[in-house]
Amino acid sequence: MIPLFSSSAANAGVDLAAAVKRVLDSNWYVLGNEVTSFEREFAQFVGSAECVSLANGTDALELALRALGVMPQDTVACVANAGFYGSTAIHAVGATPLYVDVDSVSLNMAASSLQAALAHKPKVVIITHLYGQMADIEALTRMAHEAGAAVIEDCAQSHGAMRDGRRAGSVGDIGCFSFYPTKNLGALGDGGAVTCNDPALAAKVRTLRQYGWSTKYCVATPQGRNSRLDEMQAAILRDKLKQLDSWNAQRREIAAKYNAAFAALPVTRPPSTGEDYVAHLYVLRLEAREAFREHLRSRNVATDVHYPIADHRQPAYPAARAAGSLAHTESACGNVVSLPCFPGLPEAQVAEVIDAVRSFFAG
Ligand SMILES: *Cc1c(COP(=O)(O)O)cnc(C)c1O
């Protein structure tokens, strides 16, 4: 089976043992030199003044909301096609998600739908760069700021994506990253971070990630918790960060091959293979998705659906609120399908995936 992702390919050429040994030799496992160095290096990579590392990407979203002052009575605008992670964070704070439709081409938040949502005075707008494709973050941020809303970028799928020299995570008020193993920059376990330019905002997240402490054992800020990246993961992430741009280029190259091969097929392809797309997922849209997936399975090609259930359709939260129609969101949930696209995917397997896809339409 050609998999959707391969851990061994993702870590090929990385000396994991050396990174772990550095930590073992230091005898220091939590909040030490590796974490401090990773935060400095990742902030520099993103082009932000500050980086605060955390235990995972969902904590990054939640602590970003708390640092921006979101309270239980507040509304937070976000899309409904991005896997419920933003919604999880909003519910954890006790605030209310207000769902905003996506653009039919990019599948990222649509400016016209955000305009309608801003009338509800959300405190924050979470903008996800889905599948590694940057949203129209500059325009959306301008609109949100004019309406007095802060902007969180969800960059969990877009490490390194860039437009006009600015990386995802450096445009809004705060960027949220996950280093889950399958992400473009992945640890050997959970990890996360926020990036921002405001030292006061970074200081709030730093306090919240460690029990709300101002100094040791002095709890000065409510709603703190333990959400720390550990030294082993930080050491591994530092080594992997050096290769991120080249891995993203490999992902993009595979996506470009797929896009060229599928140009004449009755499918909708990712809109960009430029710098603003880091091909975290290569997602086609087509009718007859289940028959397509079955055909690919028969040809030993794994597929998945990101994501089959829109946030406002999740059974745990039946009273979900939307700012207008979510027609593009719902249509996408019904016809998106992800193909194998990861660094280290052999050229011969890329060709096999292409053959398998073409043969479905030739049949
Ligand atoms: C993976 C992901 C997250 C959550 O990250 P975790 O580290 O798994 O908590 C958030 N947002 C998006 C878009 C993701 O893909």
Side-chain angles (χ1 to χ4, degrees), residues 166-220:
R166 296 182 79 180
R167 303 259 195 190
S170 71
V171 183
D173 296 290
I174 187 160
C176 294
F177 292 83
S178 164
F179 306 120
Y180 183 77
T182 62
K183 308 293 188 185
N184 288 38
L185 180 62
L188 300 188
D190 281 308
V194 301
T195 54
C196 63
N197 286 322
D198 177 357
L201 201 52
K204 277 188 200 157
V205 176
R206 246 184 214 108
T207 299
L208 290 169
R209 81 169 167 188
Q210 184 151 256
Y211 321 117
W213 284 354
S214 54
T215 55
K216 199 174 179 186
Y217 304 138
C218 176
V219 180

Side-chain angles (χ1 to χ4, degrees), residues 329-353:
T329 301
E330 304 216 325
S331 133
C333 286
N335 68 11
V336 291
V337 58
S338 306
L339 298 184
C341 182
F342 54 86
L345 179 62
E347 220 165 289
Q349 294 195 351
V350 172
E352 278 179 54
V353 173

Side-chain angles (χ1 to χ4, degrees), residues 14 67 101 140 158 165-166 175 201 240-241 289 325 353:
V14 184
D101 207 4
L140 295 169
S158 62
R166 296 182 79 180
L201 201 52
K240 293 186 74 171
L241 179 59
R289 177 172 70 193
S325 155
V353 173

